Amino acid sequence: MMDTLEERARAIGEAAAARVRGRVAATMRETLPDVAVDVVGDDVVLTGRITPDDPRLRWIGSVLR
């Protein structure tokens, strides 16, 4: 019985994490239209060019905290 509960809890947690990754990716796409945003496994991957002094980098950092 505990194994079943643990499996169910794990599945619920994984589904929640997938939803969060999707929301983060969608927000990044809206905010950074010139950057490609993909969800790869457990990661949200940003591909593109942003200058080091771009204020959006600070915003990305605040979202990931």
Side-chain angles (χ1 to χ4, degrees):
M1 181 160 160
M2 286 300 284
D3 290 337
T4 303
L5 290 174
E6 288 175 3
E7 288 175 18
R8 186 167 184 227
R10 188 173 296 113
I12 290 169
E14 289 173 1
R19 284 192 305 274
V20 169
R21 284 190 296 273
R23 285 197 308 261
V24 167
T27 302
M28 296 287 182
R29 283 184 196 105
E30 290 174 13
T31 305
L32 305 167
D34 51 336
V35 174
V37 180
D38 296 304
V39 177
V40 179
D42 290 341
D43 300 323
V44 176
V45 179
L46 306 176
T47 307
R49 292 184 181 253
I50 299 176
T51 61
D53 60 340
D54 192 322
R56 296 179 298 178
L57 288 176
R58 260 182 252 141
W59 175 83
I60 291 169
S62 71
V63 169
L64 299 177
R65 287 186 196 177

